[in-house]
Amino acid sequence: MEYVATCLFGLESLLGEEIDALGYKRIETMDGRVTFEGDDSAIARCNIGLRFAERLYIKVGEFEALTFDDLFEGTKALEWEKWIGKNDEFPVKGHSIKSALFSIPDCQKIIKRAVVSRLTRAYGISWFEETGIKYQIDFFIFKNRATLMIDTSGVPLHKRGYRPKSVEAPIRETLACALAKLARPRENVLFWDPFCGSGTIAIEATMMMLNRAPGLDRAFISQIYPQFSKQIWTDAREEARSKIITDSSFEAYASDIDPECVKIATESAKHAGVYQNMRIFQQDALTIKTEGRRGTVVCNPPYGERLMTLREAEALYRKMGEHFKTLDSWQIYVITNHEQFSRFYGRKPDKVRKLSNGNIPCYFYQFFKKLD
């Protein structure tokens, strides 16, 4: 069976590596998605275990679609009755990029009509009440090639379920995890987010270091799909729990100048099951010290949009650069949408990686060489 895992722009390589680690074979990688082969158990193991994926889909089929006739006939030729029962719900949504068929509403109507035509022939009925299990059909048309899929996640995978409440302008969990991964966390190096907000970056780093699966404590729409045994979900959760590291010396700090953020971060860490490996407290980011320890700072300071004005954010970047010089040889990682961040920070980054924070194009500035 073929699956498609989607991700934020810039995280494709990280997602591909996790798919490899789970033992599945990658078929294709493109912007924002990785296609791979897997058995039935992959639907459970990947939904529960993938840290960088936004959704996991079953790939029903793909074909060339230059016209609406192509789209209708190609969709109708697929075995929808293998998945959708005569009482089930099957809404349609999707995207089209660089293709002749660019009208999303029209594509939705054509695909819906084609699926109904196929199911009418399969079940001998022409009216579908759609009161049963929901099978969300997603289409992706890229350069005139249509891929038809069924969503297996339901609620997006970045919603782990541990944040009871979010602060303003929260970072997406999948992106936070990627920032932590790229910063190469280690057991003997303190991990610190001094602009922690709801604590997501530090929580994701700790979950990763404890090998705690991100989807362990949440549900997925495909758990009720009759095509899959409930046992694969039981086995996948047992497997994930058995791999949790309980004796790690990894330690993460999450601090913020706002006491409400500290409260929210504390609640989130407890819900995530990683509070025991974290210290969460109130502190101004411009007063943090090394205290003789080795450390890595990974943070998501205000962009000057929803939090602070642009000038206030730029003034903060200057102060960050001045103070973070005192952190000796600590590695510093900062994500922001400001293209001139390094100019205000006062130091040229050793590396810059383009990422996406939701729909906001961002830059991950990395400073890991010791200052002279």
Side-chain angles (χ1 to χ4, degrees):
M1 187 184 302
E2 290 189 20
Y3 294 90
V4 178
T6 59
C7 64
L8 294 174
F9 174 78
L11 306 191
E12 297 85 0
S13 61
L14 296 178
L15 175 57
E17 288 170 3
E18 331 183 74
I19 290 169
D20 293 345
L22 285 171
Y24 302 118
K25 181 183 178 182
R26 275 189 270 178
I27 298 173
E28 180 184 32
T29 300
M30 61 182 297
D31 287 352
R33 61 191 57 225
V34 178
T35 303
F36 63 98
E37 291 180 346
D39 57 12
D40 282 3
S41 68
I43 197 172
R45 296 181 72 225
C46 291
N47 269 305
I48 291 170
L50 292 178
R51 299 183 187 279
F52 306 112
E54 294 297 314
R55 288 185 182 276
L56 178 70
Y57 297 94
I58 294 167
K59 180 177 171 182
V60 181
E62 65 179 347
F63 49 86
E64 295 296 319
L66 285 164
T67 68
F68 286 127
D69 282 343
D70 293 339
L71 185 61
F72 181 88
E73 294 300 332
T75 301
K76 185 179 177 182
L78 301 177
E79 296 180 315
W80 295 105
E81 67 275 12
K82 178 180 177 182
W83 303 103
I84 303 169
K86 61 183 179 181
N87 296 316
D88 293 334
E89 182 182 0
F90 50 102
V92 178
K93 63 180 181 180
H95 300 86
S96 180
I97 300 174
K98 299 179 181 179
S99 298
L101 303 180
F102 57 85
S103 172
I104 301 305
D106 286 337
C107 290
Q108 287 175 295
K109 292 175 185 177
I110 295 297
I111 291 172
K112 182 76 173 185
R113 195 186 311 156
V115 175
V116 168
S117 179
R118 174 79 187 206
L119 296 180
T120 293
R121 187 176 66 183
Y123 297 125
I125 57 176
S126 58
W127 176 256
F128 295 86
E129 294 184 0
E130 299 194 49
T131 56
I133 296 172
K134 180 179 179 181
Y135 290 86
Q136 177 66 62
I137 298 173
D138 255 80
F139 66 87
F140 179 59
I141 307 175
F142 180 68
K143 293 184 178 179
N144 301 315
R145 187 157 190 82
T147 302
L148 278 293
M149 306 169 291
I150 292 176
D151 178 30
T152 73
S153 301
V155 175
L157 296 180
H158 72 262
K159 294 187 177 182
R160 320 292 205 205
Y162 61 71
R163 289 200 301 211
K165 181 180 177 182
S166 290
V167 297
E168 188 174 358
I171 191 170
R172 190 172 291 194
E173 293 90 328
T174 42
L175 178 58
C177 187
L179 303 185
K181 176 72 173 180
L182 294 170
R184 297 170 297 166
R186 287 150 285 174
E187 284 201 348
N188 59 342
V189 178
L190 175 63
F191 186 100
W192 194 340
D193 178 4
F195 295 93
C196 76
S198 55
T200 311
I201 294 175
I203 289 171
E204 290 291 332
T206 308
M207 289 178 67
M208 182 166 52
M209 290 300 290
L210 299 184
N211 203 29
R212 186 178 181 87
L216 187 57
D217 299 318
R218 56 155 287 184
F220 308 92
I221 187 65
S222 51
Q223 286 178 223
I224 60 173
Y225 288 176
Q227 294 86 354
F228 299 92
S229 165
K230 294 186 183 300
Q231 189 63 41
I232 65 172
W233 293 95
T234 300
D235 292 345
R237 292 187 193 281
E238 288 180 356
E239 177 190 15
R241 288 193 182 94
S242 71
K243 293 182 177 180
I244 295 175
I245 299 171
T246 58
D247 58 352
S248 174
S249 60
F250 177 76
E251 187 177 18
Y253 284 5
S255 60
D256 201 286
I257 198 170
D258 185 346
E260 181 63 21
C261 290
V262 172
K263 180 181 177 182
I264 294 171
T266 299
E267 292 177 3
S268 297
K270 290 179 178 178
H271 280 105
V274 295
Y275 181 69
Q276 71 278 5
N277 286 77
M278 298 180 65
R279 277 194 58 207
I280 305 172
F281 51 93
Q282 184 180 357
Q283 185 171 344
D284 186 337
L286 303 179
T287 65
I288 68 174
K289 298 179 181 179
T290 66
E291 302 292 350
R293 296 187 63 174
R294 295 177 62 198
T296 298
V297 169
V298 183
C299 61
N300 177 38
Y303 295 176
E305 294 183 353
R306 286 178 287 182
L307 296 175
M308 292 187 172
T309 66
L310 181 59
R311 286 190 177 183
E312 288 173 336
E314 290 171 348
L316 173 62
Y317 299 159
R318 286 194 182 95
K319 293 176 181 177
M320 286 171 58
E322 293 168 2
H323 180 69
F324 285 2
K325 286 180 182 177
T326 68
L327 300 181
D328 190 34
S329 60
W330 279 29
Q331 296 181 355
I332 310 294
Y333 297 81
V334 183
I335 187 170
T336 174
N337 70 340
H338 202 307
E339 295 181 14
Q340 300 298 319
F341 169 80
S342 57
R343 180 166 67 87
F344 293 97
Y345 187 75
R347 181 181 169 190
K348 184 179 179 180
D350 297 297
K351 188 174 182 180
V352 181
R353 184 165 181 151
K354 290 184 178 180
L355 297 171
S356 175
N357 188 359
N359 294 321
I360 304 174
C362 290
Y363 304 89
F364 193 38
Y365 294 91
Q366 303 170 52
F367 306 89
F368 42 76
K369 292 180 182 177
K370 185 174 180 179
L371 290 170
D372 295 329

